[in-house]
C-alpha cells in the first residue's frame, strides 16, 4: 500500500508542475458525407484521452481541451464508414472529415493489449470488437453468453445465470477479464462462479485471443476480455437510456436506467438495473428446478478531463442471488427440493415460478472502486489506474438454516498499474510500466474449500509499436513475480489446511507483424510467450461446495503454466464480401487439469458428505504438456447492389491433446465442439424519416458432435451435435426532428425447441432422470425476447 501511495504522490507533484506549461489544445471542424450533406450527431473520439464530442445540427464540432500531441482520432456515424486518422493537435487545430456511406465497418480502433490505441487492421494479434447496439440485438441472459457469437469464444455454464468465458478452449484463470481498466477478481477458479458485471451497462467489449501476458501478466495466458462500461458522455451533452426487457422461457424481466453528462470537461455517469428470472424450461426436463436468479446493480462515475490529462473515480456494486441446479428427481422424474428436517418434497408449480432461489443457492456481492488517471508529464503521459474490489460470495445449502451460509468467501483485491507513454517519435510509440495486485481471501463460513491466503503480484514491462506506411511491428518483454502465502486451518480438531508459501517468477514476451498489402488485403503474424501461476484452488483446495459433485484436493508442488503460441491471420475485403481467417498453434507446458482419483480397487475414489449423505467423487490436480491448435473463419457476403443483404458465416474449431495419454485419453477437458453460425440478415431504411434502421435476421447455429472428450477417469462424456434456429428483428422510431425516440428489439432463440446439451454445460453431469434414463439437465428450450430502449440525449447548456 505504501508503494502505491508514493507513486500517487509523485504523480500529483509531476502533474502539477507540468500543468501550467500545457497549451490549451482543441480539435474543431465540420463533418459531411461525400455528397456534401452535413452529418449532425457524428461522434468524434480522441483515443488515449477521455474526449468524446458530437457534431452539432450544422455538422460542426469542437472538442474539449486535451494535452497537445499526436492522437488517433475516430469519426463515426451510423451507416457510414468510420474515418480513423492520426492528427497532431496543438492549439486550435482545424480538421474537417468526409464520411463515405458503407454497408460494413472496416476502421475499428482497439486499446486492448497495445501500448496506445491502434486500428484493428494494424494489430498483429487476433482481436474482436462488439458494441452496445450489437449486444442489444442478442437475446442472452448475461454478457459472456452474448460474446459467444464471436469466433473462438465459448462459455462454460451452470444454467442461464452463470457463464465463464473460454477463448479457444481455455478458461478459468487463463483468461483475464478487465472492466473499466481494472482486472475483475471474483473467485474465477470455481466452475459455478461467474463474472459480476452488469450486461445492461456494457458499452463496448474487446476480446483479445491468444497470450497477453506481456501487457497483463498472469491470468492472461489465453486472452483478455476488456469490458468498457462507465464512459463519459460527449462534451456539452446529457445522455442516457431507459431499457426494459422480457423473455418468455423463464419469465425474465429486467430494467435499466442511466444518465451521463459532460460540460467543460466535468463528467458524471449514473446507472442502476434489475434482472430477475424464474426457472427455465425445455421439452425433456420441463421446468428445471432452482435455475432461477436475481441480479441488481448500481454504479456512478465522476471526473474531469482537461489540458493536463484526466482523472475519473467510479464506484459499482453488483448483487446476485443464484439458485444451484442439482437435478435430483423422484422415481417419476419430478424434481424434488429439500425441506427442513432432512426431508424432500416434489417441486410444485409455484416453486418454479418464483425468482427467489431455494437451497442450495449462492449470494454474491461485488463492490468495486476505481481511480483512472492520466497526466501529461513534460511531453510524455503517465497513466495510473488503482482499483479496490471486494467479492463476498456466500453459499447456502442447509434447508434447516436457509439464511446461514455454509461457505463464505471474502476476497479483497487491490490492483494497480502505472504506465509511461513516451511521445510518438516518427514511427515509434513506446511505453513501459508496472502492474500487479495485492489480494487476501478469508473463509467466514463453517465450510472451507480453499485456505485463507495472501497474495502479492508485481510485474514490469516494456512495449513498443512501429508503424510506417503499411507495416506495423508490435512487441516487448515483461517480468513478473507472484508470492502466495496460505494459512493453516483446523476443523473439528483436525488439520484442514496446512500453511505453505510459494513464489512464481516468469518472463513473457511477444512479437507481432501486420502488413496492409492493399486496401483489400492485410496479413498478420504474432508470436507470444504466455504464462499462468497456479491458482489457490489448484495449490491448496480441500473440500466441496454446493452445486458440484466433486471433492477437490490441491497439489502444492504445481508449477506455472507456460505457453508459446503462433497466430496467423488473413483479412480480405472486396465490394461483395469480407473474409477474416486465422490459424493458431500453442504448445503449453505444465498445463494444469483436474481428474478423478482412483481407489485401491481401481474404481473411482468416493467420499460421503457427513451432513447431506451425498456421495462426492474425489478429484485432484495434475500437470501435462498440451498441444492446442485451431482455426477461425468469418465470411460476410453483401452482394452489390443488394447492399441491404448480408449473408454472414462464422466457423470455429479447436483441438487440444496431451502429449501422453491420461488414463487412456489424450484429449484435454473442456474443449468446445466445432461450431458453424450462418446468418441471413437484411438492413433497411437507414435514412428513414420516422422509421429507421429496420433489421431482420434468421440464424442457423450448428454445433458439431464432440467426440474428443476427456474420458480419462470418466471425467467427461461425448456430446452429441445439435442445430438451433434463431431469429431477430428490430427498428428505431424517430420523432419529427429525426431524433431517435426508442428502439425495439425482438429475439427468438431455439425456434424449433430442440432439447440439447452443450459440451461445456455443467448441468450435463447432474443426476439421472429416473423415469427417462437421461443423464443430466438440458439447455434452455424455445425462448422469445423483447427489449425496448429509450435514449435520452440533449444539450447541456
Amino acid at each position: 500500500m505504501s508503494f502505491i501511495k508514493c507513486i500517487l504522490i509523485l504523480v500529483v507533484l509531476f502533474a502539477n508542475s507540468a500543468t501550467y506549461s500545457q497549451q490549451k489544445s482543441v480539435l474543431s471542424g465540420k463533418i459531411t458525407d461525400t455528397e456534401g450533406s452535413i452529418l449532425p450527431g457524428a461522434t468524434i473520439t480522441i483515443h488515449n484521452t477521455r474526449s468524446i464530442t458530437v457534431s452539432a445540427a450544422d455538422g460542426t464540432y469542437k472538442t474539449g481541451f486535451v494535452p497537445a500531441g499526436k492522437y488517433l482520432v475516430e469519426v463515426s456515424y451510423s451507416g457510414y464508414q468510420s474515418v480513423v486518422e492520426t492528427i497532431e493537435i496543438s492549439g486550435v487545430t482545424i480538421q474537417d472529415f468526409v464520411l463515405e456511406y458503407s454497408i460494413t465497418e472496416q476502421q475499428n480502433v482497439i486499446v486492448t493489449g497495445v501500448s496506445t490505441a491502434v486500428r484493428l487492421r494494424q494489430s498483429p494479434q487476433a482481436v474482436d470488437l462488439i458494441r452496445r447496439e450489437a449486444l442489444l440485438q442478442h437475446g442472452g441472459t448475461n454478457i459472456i453468453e452474448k460474446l459467444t457469437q464471436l469466433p473462438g469464444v465459448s462459455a462454460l455454464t451452470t444454467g442461464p445465470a452463470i457463464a465463464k468465458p473460454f477463448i479457444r478452449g481455455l478458461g478459468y484463470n487463463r483468461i483475464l477479464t478487465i472492466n473499466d481498466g481494472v482486472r475483475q477478481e471474483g473467485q474465477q477458479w470455481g466452475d459455478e462462479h461467474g463474472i459480476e458485471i452488469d450486461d445492461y451497462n456494457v458499452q463496448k467489449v474487446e476480446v483479445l485471443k491468444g497470450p497477453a501476458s506481456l501487457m497483463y501478466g498472469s491470468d492472461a495466458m489465453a486472452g483478455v476480455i476488456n469490458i468498457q462500461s462507465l464512459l463519459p458522455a460527449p462534451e456539452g451533452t446529457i445522455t442516457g437510456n431507459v431499457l426494459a426487457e422480457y423473455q418468455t422461457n423463464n419469465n425474465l424481466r429486467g430494467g435499466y436506467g442511466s444518465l451521463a453528462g459532460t460540460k467543460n470537461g466535468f463528467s458524471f455517469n449514473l446507472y442502476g438495473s434489475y434482472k430477475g428470472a424464474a426457472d427455465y424450461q425445455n421439452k425433456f426436463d420441463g421446468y428445471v428446478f432452482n435455475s432461477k436468479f436475481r441480479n441488481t446493480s448500481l454504479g456512478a462515475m465522476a471526473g474531469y478531463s482537461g489540458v493536463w490529462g484526466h482523472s475519473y473515480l467510479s464506484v459499482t456494486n453488483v448483487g446476485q442471488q443464484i439458485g444451484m441446479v442439482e437435478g435430483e428427481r423422484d422415481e417419476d422424474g419430478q424434481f424434488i427440493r429439500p425441506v427442513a428436517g432432512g426431508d424432500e418434497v416434489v417441486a410444485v408449480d409455484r416453486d418454479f415460478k418464483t425468482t427467489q432461489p431455494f437451497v442450495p443457492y449462492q449470494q454474491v456481492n461485488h463492490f468495486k472502486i476505481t481511480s483512472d488517471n492520466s497526466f501529461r508529464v513534460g511531453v510524455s503521459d503517465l497513466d495510473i489506474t488503482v482499483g479496490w474490489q471486494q467479492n463476498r460470495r456466500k453459499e447456502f445449502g442447509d434447508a434447516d438454516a436457509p439464511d446461514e451460509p455454509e461457505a463464505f468467501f471474502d476476497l479483497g483485491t487491490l490492483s494497480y498499474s502505472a504506465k509511461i507513454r513516451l511521445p510518438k517519435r516518427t514511427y515509434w510509440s513506446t511505453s513501459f510500466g508496472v502492474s500487479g495486485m495485492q489480494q487476501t481471501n478469508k473463509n467466514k463460513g463453517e465450510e472451507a474449500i480453499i485456505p485463507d491466503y495472501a497474495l502479492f503480484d508485481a510485474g514490469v514491462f516494456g512495449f513498443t509499436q512501429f508503424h510506417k506506411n503499411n507495416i506495423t511491428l508490435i512487441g516487448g518483454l515483461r517480468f513478473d513475480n507472484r508470492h502466495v502465502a496460505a494459512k493453516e486451518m483446523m476443523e473439528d480438531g483436525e488439520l484442514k489446511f496446512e500453511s505453505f508459501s510459494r513464489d512464481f517468477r516468469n518472463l513473457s514476451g511477444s512479437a507481432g507483424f501486420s502488413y496492409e498489402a492493399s486496401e483489400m488485403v492485410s496479413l498478420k503474424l504474432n508470436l507470444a510467450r504466455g504464462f499462468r501461476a497456479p491458482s489457490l484452488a489448484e495449490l491448496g483446495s480441500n473440500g466441496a461446495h454446493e452445486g458440484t459433485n466433486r471433492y477437490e484436493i490441491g497439489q502444492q508442488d504445481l508449477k506455472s503454466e507456460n505457453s508459446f503460441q503462433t497466430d496467423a491471420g488473413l483479412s480480405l475485403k472486396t465490394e461483395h464480401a469480407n473474409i477474416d481467417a486465422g490459424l493458431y498453434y500453442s504448445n503449453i507446458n505444465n498445463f494444469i487439469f483436474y481428474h478423478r482419483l482412483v481407489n485401491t480397487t481401481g474404481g473411482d475414489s468416493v467420499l460421503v458428505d457427513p451432513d447431506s449423505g451425498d456421495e462426492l467423487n474425489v478429484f485432484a490436480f495434475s500437470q501435462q504438456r498440451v498441444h492446442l491448435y485451431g482455426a477461425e473463419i468469418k465470411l460476410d457476403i453483401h452482394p452489390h447492389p443488394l447492399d441491404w443483404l448480408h449473408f454472414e458465416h462464422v466457423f470455429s474449431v479447436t483441438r487440444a491433446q496431451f502429449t501422453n495419454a491420461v488414463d487412456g485419453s489424450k484429449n484435454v477437458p473442456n474443449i468446445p465442439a466445432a461450431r458453424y453460425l450462418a446468418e441471413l440478415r437484411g438492413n433497411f431504411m437507414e435514412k428513414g424519416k420516422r422509421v429507421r434502421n429496420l433489421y431482420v435476421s434468421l440464424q442457423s447455429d450448428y454445433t458439431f458432435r464432440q467426440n474428443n472428450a476427456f474420458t480419462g477417469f470418466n471425467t467427461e462424456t461425448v456430446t452429441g451435435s445439435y442445430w438451433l434456429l434463431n431469429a431477430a428483428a428490430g427498428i428505431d422510431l424517430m420523432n419529427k426532428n429525426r431524433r431517435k425516440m426508442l428502439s425495439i428489439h425482438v429475439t427468438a432463440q431455439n425456434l424449433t425447441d430442440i432439447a440439447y446439451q452443450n459440451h461445456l454445460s455443467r448441468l450435463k453431469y447432474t443426476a439421472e432422470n429416473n423415469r427417462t434414463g437421461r443423464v443430466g439437465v438440458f439447455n434452455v428450450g424455445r425462448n422469445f425476447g423483447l427489449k425496448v430502449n429509450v435514449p435520452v440525449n440533449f444539450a447541456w447548456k
Side-chain angles (χ1 to χ4, degrees):
M1 181 72 73
S2 59
F3 172 70
I4 297 173
K5 287 182 178 178
C6 289
I7 290 180
L8 291 175
I9 292 172
L10 289 173
V11 167
V12 172
L13 292 175
F14 278 122
N16 288 338
S17 65
T19 297
Y20 300 105
S21 63
Q22 295 301 321
Q23 183 182 14
K24 291 186 175 181
S25 299
V26 296
L27 182 67
S28 63
K30 191 173 185 178
I31 313 296
T32 59
D33 65 13
T34 52
E35 298 177 354
S37 300
I38 60 175
L39 297 179
T43 301
I44 301 93
T45 303
I46 303 178
H47 288 280
N48 295 319
T49 74
R50 288 279 192 153
S51 179
I52 304 174
T53 307
V54 173
S55 59
D58 60 356
T60 62
Y61 74 94
K62 183 178 181 180
T63 70
F65 293 128
V66 296
K70 290 184 178 180
Y71 296 97
L72 197 64
V73 178
E74 179 181 15
V75 182
S76 59
Y77 191 80
S78 179
Y80 287 79
Q81 175 66 46
S82 295
V83 173
V84 179
E85 293 184 11
T86 300
I87 298 175
E88 183 167 359
I89 304 175
S90 179
V92 178
T93 303
I94 308 297
Q95 179 70 52
D96 296 334
F97 294 97
V98 178
L99 274 60
E100 181 179 354
Y101 177 76
S102 176
I103 56 176
T104 61
E105 177 59 79
Q106 303 179 24
Q107 291 291 342
N108 286 314
V109 176
I110 62 166
V111 298
T112 306
V114 292
S115 174
T116 185
V118 299
R119 296 177 177 87
L120 180 59
R121 292 189 72 190
Q122 293 174 359
S123 171
Q125 298 168 298
V127 183
D128 281 317
L129 182 151
I130 187 168
R131 300 182 188 275
R132 176 178 172 81
E133 283 302 315
L135 294 173
L136 286 175
Q137 296 173 17
H138 191 278
T141 56
N142 58 74
I143 183 60
I144 299 304
E145 182 182 351
K146 295 176 182 180
L147 296 182
T148 58
Q149 301 294 303
L150 300 176
V153 180
S154 51
L156 185 144
T157 62
T158 306
I162 299 175
K164 301 182 69 63
F166 271 60
I167 297 177
R168 295 174 170 177
L170 300 177
Y172 298 100
N173 291 68
R174 299 180 184 94
I175 292 178
L176 180 61
T177 301
I178 298 174
N179 185 208
D180 290 337
V182 172
R183 56 186 296 151
Q184 188 81 357
E185 288 292 319
Q187 310 283 5
Q188 57 264 36
W189 50 267
D191 284 344
E192 66 289 354
H193 301 168
I195 65 170
E196 292 77 40
I197 295 176
D198 184 3
D199 60 310
Y200 286 151
N201 198 48
V202 173
Q203 307 301 316
K204 177 183 175 183
V205 184
E206 295 178 2
V207 179
L208 188 156
K209 294 175 286 188
S213 297
L214 167 61
M215 291 297 290
Y216 302 103
S218 181
D219 302 345
M221 193 178 79
V224 175
I225 296 178
N226 186 2
I227 299 174
Q228 300 175 29
S229 300
L230 285 167
L231 299 177
E235 172 65 34
T237 66
I238 292 180
T239 64
N241 287 276
V242 177
L243 172 71
E245 178 182 20
Y246 179 74
Q247 294 185 16
T248 60
N249 186 281
N250 57 359
N251 286 323
L252 182 149
R253 48 273 200 191
Y256 164 80
S258 68
L259 193 66
T262 300
K263 180 68 172 177
N264 296 327
F266 289 97
S267 296
F268 74 89
N269 193 323
L270 306 169
Y271 82 93
S273 73
Y274 168 82
K275 182 185 293 184
D279 292 334
Y280 79 84
Q281 54 186 313
N282 60 62
K283 70 178 184 181
F284 279 179
D285 300 307
Y287 286 101
V288 176
F289 176 67
N290 217 26
S291 58
K292 53 181 81 351
F293 64 91
R294 296 194 298 193
N295 297 342
T296 59
S297 182
L298 293 171
M301 182 271 286
Y304 179 77
S305 178
V307 64
W308 51 268
H310 66 255
S311 182
Y312 291 86
L313 184 70
S314 61
V315 180
T316 60
N317 190 76
V318 176
Q320 296 181 331
Q321 284 188 316
I322 304 172
M324 304 303 296
V325 178
E326 294 189 318
E328 297 290 345
R329 291 171 255 214
D330 64 10
E331 60 184 12
D332 296 322
Q334 300 182 85
F335 284 102
I336 56 178
R337 68 176 179 88
V339 295
D343 294 329
E344 296 173 331
V345 298
V346 173
V348 296
D349 187 66
R350 65 175 178 272
D351 298 331
F352 300 118
K353 300 300 178 62
T354 178
T355 62
Q356 175 63 49
F358 296 91
V359 294
Y361 72 95
Q362 60 176 309
Q363 180 175 304
V364 185
N365 185 268
H366 194 106
F367 174 82
K368 180 166 57 180
I369 181 168
T370 302
S371 177
D372 176 18
N373 311 274
S374 181
F375 303 101
R376 175 55 58 93
V377 181
V379 293
S380 300
D381 293 289
L382 177 57
D383 300 334
I384 290 196
T385 303
V386 179
W388 162 256
Q389 56 193 306
Q390 184 177 42
N391 185 276
R392 297 166 64 89
R393 188 178 301 271
K394 302 176 182 179
E395 299 183 355
F396 303 83
D398 187 353
D400 292 309
D403 297 326
E404 296 181 10
E406 294 186 329
F408 183 174
F409 307 99
D410 191 348
L411 179 69
T413 305
L414 175 69
S415 56
Y416 61 90
S417 67
K419 178 174 68 175
I420 290 282
R421 287 185 285 117
L422 301 178
K424 186 171 183 179
R425 302 292 187 187
T426 313
Y427 309 114
W428 295 91
S429 299
T430 302
S431 66
F432 59 90
V434 298
S435 64
M437 65 177 177
Q438 181 176 319
Q439 188 174 79
T440 59
N441 184 77
K442 297 179 181 178
N443 289 290
K444 296 184 176 180
E446 292 185 0
E447 296 181 0
I449 302 143
I450 61 174
D452 293 353
Y453 70 85
L455 178 151
F456 182 79
D457 180 279
V460 296
F461 65 89
F463 192 91
T464 190
Q465 299 172 194
F466 171 87
H467 177 71
K468 182 179 180 182
N469 298 328
N470 298 326
I471 296 177
T472 302
L473 301 173
I474 294 179
L477 292 171
R478 179 186 179 102
F479 176 77
D480 279 272
N481 181 79
R482 172 171 290 187
H483 174 76
V484 179
K487 297 181 180 180
E488 179 181 280
M489 178 178 175
M490 305 295 292
E491 185 177 273
D492 298 327
E494 297 183 358
L495 182 65
K496 174 76 172 182
F497 301 108
E498 64 179 20
S499 64
F500 68 89
S501 65
R502 292 288 307 276
D503 287 283
F504 302 94
R505 296 179 178 87
N506 287 278
L507 182 68
S508 55
S510 70
F513 165 86
S514 70
Y515 175 56
E516 296 178 88
S518 66
E519 293 185 0
M520 296 173 55
V521 180
S522 63
L523 305 172
K524 300 183 178 185
L525 178 66
N526 192 68
L527 308 176
R529 185 182 190 275
F531 77 94
R532 179 182 74 92
S535 70
L536 260 293
E538 294 162 338
L539 292 170
S541 61
N542 184 16
H545 48 181
E546 299 297 342
T548 75
N549 65 341
R550 295 202 308 264
Y551 190 101
E552 295 183 0
I553 299 175
Q555 308 293 320
Q556 295 179 18
D557 59 350
L558 294 176
K559 301 177 182 178
S560 291
E561 294 182 349
N562 291 280
S563 70
F564 184 80
Q565 180 161 314
T566 302
D567 270 277
L570 166 68
S571 180
L572 175 63
K573 301 185 185 299
T574 71
E575 183 181 16
H576 302 289
N578 297 347
I579 302 174
D580 291 286
L583 298 172
Y584 54 91
Y585 172 81
S586 184
N587 186 344
I588 307 174
N589 290 315
N590 303 318
F591 180 85
I592 302 171
F593 64 101
Y594 60 76
H595 60 82
R596 299 189 192 218
L597 286 183
V598 177
N599 59 29
T600 55
T601 63
D604 293 336
S605 182
V606 176
L607 290 178
V608 178
D609 189 324
D611 296 322
S612 64
D614 295 335
E615 291 187 348
L616 302 174
N617 295 306
V618 181
F619 284 73
F621 292 92
S622 187
Q623 294 187 287
Q624 255 265 30
R625 188 176 180 182
V626 165
H627 298 280
L628 183 147
Y629 52 93
E632 298 160 0
I633 300 174
K634 185 174 182 179
L635 169 65
D636 180 6
I637 301 173
H638 41 268
H640 186 73
L642 303 178
D643 295 338
W644 53 269
L645 180 65
H646 289 258
F647 193 20
E648 299 179 355
H649 308 260
V650 175
F651 176 74
S652 306
V653 61
T654 299
R655 188 83 166 88
Q657 289 186 308
F658 295 113
T659 301
N660 300 308
V662 178
D663 192 39
S665 177
K666 296 189 70 173
N667 298 315
V668 174
N670 292 322
I671 300 299
R675 188 182 183 198
Y676 170 50
L677 289 169
E679 181 180 44
L680 185 63
R681 180 185 178 98
N683 293 317
F684 311 94
M685 307 172 71
E686 289 89 350
K687 299 181 180 181
K689 293 182 179 180
R690 302 304 292 268
V691 177
R692 187 175 293 183
N693 298 325
L694 169 67
Y695 68 89
V696 180
S697 71
L698 183 66
Q699 183 189 69
S700 167
D701 183 352
Y702 184 78
T703 300
F704 291 79
R705 180 180 176 85
Q706 180 53 291
N707 286 316
N708 302 310
F710 175 51
T711 56
F713 306 107
N714 299 317
T715 302
E716 287 187 334
T717 58
V718 170
T719 306
S721 63
Y722 56 89
W723 178 43
L724 306 180
L725 193 64
N726 309 314
I731 199 169
D732 294 338
L733 301 181
M734 319 298 287
N735 63 17
K736 62 182 180 181
N737 297 321
R738 298 189 181 181
R739 287 181 175 270
K740 186 188 300 183
M741 292 190 303
L742 60 87
S743 299
I744 301 173
H745 304 277
V746 179
T747 58
Q749 295 177 295
N750 194 2
L751 274 169
T752 54
D753 201 23
I754 296 295
Y756 70 98
Q757 290 177 321
N758 185 277
H759 189 67
L760 296 188
S761 170
R762 293 188 58 252
L763 301 186
K764 179 174 178 272
Y765 299 101
T766 54
E768 178 182 346
N769 186 329
N770 296 315
R771 184 177 64 84
T772 65
R774 299 188 183 101
V775 176
V777 170
F778 287 72
N779 288 78
V780 179
R782 184 186 295 115
N783 187 26
F784 296 96
L786 172 66
K787 293 177 187 173
V788 178
N789 185 60
V790 180
V792 177
N793 194 336
F794 56 91
W796 186 357
K797 298 181 180 179

